[in-house]
Amino acid sequence: QSAQYGPCSLRKMGAMEALELLDQLVDESDPDVDFPNSFHAYQTAEGIRRAHPDKDWFHLVGLLHDLGKVLALFGEPQ
């Protein structure tokens, strides 16, 4: 995995592009959800912001926590 994805040669993208790509994915862990996967990321970040307004790093972690799922769009199992 590290040799294949470590050099970032498959595709380079910013965090926002990766969030948008998540919307193309049907999450096997929650296939019946009727809203985009990026919405979950924003909900998580907002929930953390409300609970921990002083921890901006934690807000970011909430936003980015599922970005690894984009690998499923490149053939990796979920």
Side-chain angles (χ1 to χ4, degrees):
Q1 297 279 332
S2 181
Q4 183 177 0
Y5 295 112
C8 298
S9 59
L10 183 63
R11 183 169 177 175
K12 292 187 183 210
M13 66 185 84
M16 294 307 292
E17 185 180 355
L19 278 169
E20 290 173 9
L21 273 178
L22 277 179
D23 292 343
Q24 298 177 18
L25 180 70
V26 175
D27 191 342
E28 290 177 357
S29 66
D30 207 1
D32 297 329
V33 173
D34 290 335
F35 54 85
N37 287 313
S38 62
F39 188 73
H40 167 69
Y42 293 118
Q43 279 184 317
T44 302
E46 179 60 16
I48 292 170
R49 186 192 64 80
R50 286 183 185 162
H52 303 280
D54 58 325
K55 296 180 180 168
D56 56 351
W57 63 270
F58 198 13
H59 313 162
L60 181 62
V61 170
L63 184 66
L64 304 178
H65 79 281
D66 275 345
L67 286 189
K69 290 181 179 183
V70 299
L71 291 176
L73 298 172
F74 298 101
E76 290 296 324
Q78 289 191 37

